Amino acid sequence: MINMLMWFLYCRVQDFIYCPAILNIYSTFNLTIKSKSVISQKEQFSDIYPLNITDIIQAPRPLITSVNATDSSISVTWTSATTPITKCKIRYKRLNTESWTETADLVSSVESQFVIEGLQSFSVFDLSVSCFHGFGRWSDWSEETRVKTTESLPSAALSLSYYVDSDENSGIRRLVLLWKALDVTDARGLIRGYEVSYKPITQPSLKKTIHTSHLKAVVLVRSEEYEVSVCAYNSAGRSPDRRLTVDASRTHDVPAVRSLWVYSDGSSLWIRWEYEFTAVNISEFAIEWSSATDGEHRRWERVDGSTFTVRLPGIEAQQTYNISVFPICGSLAGPPNNISADLQHGALLDPVGFGLLNVSSSSVALRWSWKEAKPGVCVLQYRLVLTGPDQIQTLAVFPDKQQHSFLYLHPNTKYSVHIHGETRDGNFTKASLDITTLLLDYEEMMRFAVPAVLLLLIFGIFSVLSRTVCREYLFPIIANPRYSLIGRWLLNPHLQGSDKICVLKLDGLFLMDQQMEKSVFVVSDHEDEVPLKTSETAEGTALWKPCSDDEESALTPSSLPEYVDLPFLPDSSGYVQTGQIPGERNSD
């Protein structure tokens, strides 16, 4: 470090007569800086700098004596020193902003006053004053003075949304109204509360009015149209009314948010959710949270429709909070999704009852449930993980999801399924399950068995039908003479004819029937069994012969009488001779 002594040496450009005349506002000097080292005693001189007294004289700093504010203006009064002041200027800015606004130069005197207009109502401003002699330099800015404008009527109507909540069991309908707090520039003061009025359109005399300090109101309605109006008010008056016509008999298709979860970073809570984009265009989300022990003190936050993560400020330790998220679509709102959380654990939910719901050859269905509990650690999220020989599937699970199916698995393969909890320090396994897929599904077996059974059934029916048809038309049944008395008699080579002529008189044996086209008679191989008797059956007239008990027992099933259908014989029928054709004579 070098220690040096410095002198300022100056001389007047023109000669001077006496010393007091050296320094005046019109003086001009040449300034040289001389420095000397304390150690080496070496001296150095700077370059020469021209110096005008008018350039370095500065006006004295003014003093603000009073400020008076209205809802849109501030009146400022200040004083300067006895030195004549030619002009001043004022600068001001709103609280928590960076840029200053300066007024034009103001003609001033020792005591001056100026009114700043066009200011925002119920706003805090910082202001200061600087003055000028007419030569030299402007004074330093005065000490900043803070002042607040007064309240005025709110200038804008509220942004109002609603949805209808109906209880199918009780039939009660609730109209839930949500509105957004006015911006400071529109509120123009401290909002003291909100006035909500509603009435049936068909019965205006049933109008009801309620007052609330919250940004939500729930009223009971019937299934009809209502006219609803909401306004805000401060100490200066009311805002313009926001009016809506609501059909309480309808519910609108604005779905609730899903996959809602809360986690803690140690100093605040973070809430996140997902939303399935549908035909309804979501403009923003409304988040409401309050302490479980103080439900009247509610806080609200609004974010645009593309935001899905929000930090909740003002969270206190050792407090449990109830959090709700509402989707907003213009004048329509959706039902909320709710969750409880605290700063130590985050979401106060735990998955329980993890188990198998269904298993097939290519898929596994799992189920679980959620229980309100305080987990041992702060869980960022839970994940469901399936691990197999050659594949891993994973997804995040949230309280609105209680089952899931893993698809495209391999048959007869062993898989492990786990629920993992993710924390800032690592992961832990909450529950696990080992599953083996089936070789064949019941549906697959039925898919093969049913067509096979149907094919066999059709083939059997076709076989039976084709056999009957083919036998009837292609292979007709030919009588086997071995099963007939006549056939056996004709085929017996030992039978010989005799000279005895047996004549069967047919005239008295046939019973003619006008409704019958055929006559029936009995042929027997016993010649001595006469006379023949006739009997009427359902198929015509039959001839039969009596027999003794010995003969009846000697007959086999093949020796039973046969009934033969014959055409009608004409009256000119002759007789039948054994072994001869009618009309021939015996040679004997």
Side-chain angles (χ1 to χ4, degrees):
M1 180 179 180
I2 299 176
N3 297 322
M4 301 182 67
L5 299 176
M6 301 182 66
W7 291 267
F8 292 94
L9 305 177
Y10 57 89
C11 64
R12 190 173 180 180
V13 176
Q14 297 178 354
D15 295 334
F16 54 89
I17 298 175
Y18 63 98
C19 290
I22 294 177
L23 297 177
N24 60 66
I25 61 175
Y26 302 108
S27 298
T28 302
F29 296 91
N30 291 325
L31 178 65
T32 302
I33 301 176
K34 176 184 175 182
S35 61
K36 181 179 179 180
S37 174
V38 177
I39 299 176
S40 63
Q41 299 296 317
K42 183 178 180 179
E43 296 182 352
Q44 291 182 349
F45 293 87
S46 69
D47 295 335
I48 299 174
Y49 297 96
L51 178 64
N52 295 322
I53 296 299
T54 56
D55 294 336
I56 63 174
I57 291 179
Q58 185 179 23
R61 190 179 188 184
L63 175 65
I64 298 175
T65 57
S66 67
V67 289
N68 295 308
T70 66
D71 61 342
S72 61
S73 65
I74 298 175
S75 176
V76 184
T77 303
W78 68 94
T79 60
S80 300
T82 56
T83 306
I85 297 298
T86 59
K87 57 184 177 179
C88 296
K89 59 184 177 181
I90 302 173
R91 68 175 184 177
Y92 60 92
K93 69 172 184 176
R94 288 185 59 180
L95 185 64
N96 299 325
T97 59
E98 298 296 332
S99 60
W100 290 87
T101 301
E102 293 186 4
T103 64
D105 293 345
L106 309 173
V107 178
S108 303
S109 59
V110 176
E111 185 175 5
S112 303
Q113 182 180 10
F114 183 76
V115 178
I116 306 172
E117 298 189 4
L119 301 179
Q120 179 65 45
S121 301
F122 201 66
S123 300
V124 178
F125 292 88
D126 293 328
L127 53 89
S128 60
V129 181
S130 177
C131 294
F132 184 66
H133 280 302
F135 59 87
R137 298 170 56 193
W138 283 82
S139 71
D140 292 334
W141 290 100
S142 66
E143 291 185 2
E144 294 181 3
T145 300
R146 182 165 294 178
V147 62
K148 185 176 184 179
T149 55
T150 60
E151 295 184 357
S152 63
L153 293 176
S155 61
L158 296 167
S159 176
L160 180 62
S161 305
Y162 76 95
Y163 73 93
V164 178
D165 182 21
S166 61
D167 189 345
E168 297 181 356
N169 296 327
S170 62
I172 298 176
R173 288 183 173 269
R174 290 181 291 269
L175 176 62
V176 182
L177 301 171
L178 306 173
W179 56 88
K180 186 178 181 179
L182 291 175
D183 188 76
V184 175
T185 58
D186 297 325
R188 295 186 174 184
L190 179 63
I191 299 300
R192 309 286 178 173
Y194 303 92
E195 181 180 284
V196 180
S197 298
Y198 62 101
K199 61 182 178 181
I201 294 179
T202 57
Q203 295 176 298
S205 60
L206 298 180
K207 180 179 178 180
K208 295 182 180 180
T209 301
I210 61 174
H211 292 83
T212 180
S213 59
H214 303 302
L215 298 177
K216 181 179 73 173
V218 181
V219 296
L220 298 179
V221 294
R222 295 178 297 181
S223 298
E224 57 181 313
E225 288 189 339
Y226 284 80
E227 181 180 301
V228 180
S229 64
V230 181
C231 71
Y233 57 87
N234 57 19
S235 60
R238 295 159 45 100
S239 70
D241 289 337
R242 173 66 70 187
R243 299 182 183 275
L244 284 180
T245 300
V246 176
D247 187 358
S249 63
R250 295 178 53 196
T251 57
H252 299 277
D253 298 330
V254 180
V257 300
R258 57 187 180 88
S259 303
L260 180 64
W261 191 252
V262 181
Y263 63 92
S264 172
D265 62 2
S267 60
S268 59
L269 290 178
W270 289 83
I271 180 172
R272 65 183 180 186
W273 63 90
E274 296 177 359
Y275 193 81
E276 183 177 358
F277 291 97
T278 59
V280 179
N281 185 20
I282 299 301
S283 57
E284 58 184 347
F285 297 98
I287 301 99
E288 176 191 23
W289 71 97
S290 63
S291 172
T293 58
D294 185 14
E296 289 299 319
H297 184 241
R298 306 175 190 173
R299 301 189 64 178
W300 289 82
E301 183 79 16
R302 292 271 182 142
V303 296
D304 60 67
S306 60
T307 301
F308 303 98
T309 302
V310 173
R311 175 182 174 272
L312 302 182
I315 300 299
E316 299 179 0
Q318 307 302 323
Q319 286 285 345
T320 299
Y321 291 88
N322 299 322
I323 305 169
S324 302
V325 180
F326 300 82
I328 306 296
C329 176
S331 63
L332 298 178
N337 197 344
N338 308 310
I339 195 170
S340 298
D342 63 15
L343 195 58
Q344 180 181 358
H345 306 93
L348 300 178
L349 288 173
D350 215 16
V352 295
F354 182 61
L356 180 64
L357 185 62
N358 187 26
V359 62
S360 67
S361 63
S362 61
S363 65
V364 170
L366 304 165
R367 59 169 176 80
W368 62 92
S369 59
W370 296 87
K371 181 182 68 174
E372 289 190 6
K374 291 186 177 181
V377 293
C378 179
V379 180
L380 301 179
Q381 69 175 359
Y382 286 101
R383 299 193 71 87
L384 185 64
V385 181
L386 179 139
T387 305
D390 57 351
Q391 65 181 142
I392 296 178
Q393 298 186 35
T394 178
L395 79 156
V397 293
F398 299 97
D400 56 356
K401 191 176 184 65
Q402 299 184 4
Q403 65 180 33
H404 179 73
S405 296
F406 288 105
L407 306 178
Y408 309 111
L409 305 181
H410 300 300
N412 196 26
T413 305
K414 185 177 181 179
Y415 292 90
S416 297
V417 186
H418 307 270
I419 293 184
H420 287 171
E422 296 183 3
T423 67
R424 297 187 181 277
D425 299 329
N427 301 337
F428 67 94
T429 300
K430 181 64 179 178
S432 62
L433 193 65
D434 292 332
I435 303 169
T436 302
T437 54
L438 302 179
L439 181 61
L440 286 176
D441 292 338
Y442 175 78
E443 292 79 6
E444 293 180 350
M445 290 188 293
M446 293 301 296
R447 192 160 50 244
F448 289 105
V450 170
V453 171
L454 292 177
L455 183 62
L456 291 175
L457 182 61
I458 293 173
F459 180 76
I461 294 174
F462 177 76
S463 299
V464 173
L465 294 178
S466 61
R467 180 181 179 186
T468 304
V469 172
C470 293
R471 288 187 61 183
E472 182 177 354
Y473 291 97
L474 300 179
F475 305 99
I477 298 176
I478 301 175
N480 189 348
R482 294 185 180 275
Y483 297 101
S484 172
L485 294 175
I486 298 176
R488 288 197 303 272
W489 177 74
L490 292 175
L491 295 175
N492 190 349
H494 304 289
L495 295 179
Q496 296 180 358
S498 62
D499 295 337
K500 183 179 178 181
I501 297 175
C502 298
V503 179
L504 179 62
K505 299 295 184 178
L506 298 177
D507 292 341
L509 296 179
F510 280 96
L511 301 178
M512 303 302 295
D513 192 341
Q514 297 297 332
Q515 298 180 355
M516 296 177 57
E517 297 180 356
K518 298 181 180 180
S519 297
V520 181
F521 69 94
V522 178
V523 180
S524 176
D525 55 356
H526 300 280
E527 298 179 357
D528 299 332
E529 292 182 359
V530 291
L532 297 175
K533 296 185 179 181
T534 64
S535 64
E536 294 185 1
T537 65
E539 302 194 3
T541 303
L543 302 179
W544 60 280
K545 65 182 183 64
C547 60
S548 63
D549 295 338
D550 295 336
E551 293 174 344
E552 182 177 2
S553 60
L555 293 176
T556 62
S558 60
S559 65
L560 294 176
E562 288 191 0
Y563 297 85
V564 182
D565 294 338
L566 294 176
F568 287 112
L569 299 177
D571 295 338
S572 59
S573 299
Y575 61 90
V576 178
Q577 182 178 2
T578 303
Q580 292 184 348
I581 299 175
E584 294 184 356
R585 292 177 62 96
N586 195 325
S587 60
D588 297 336

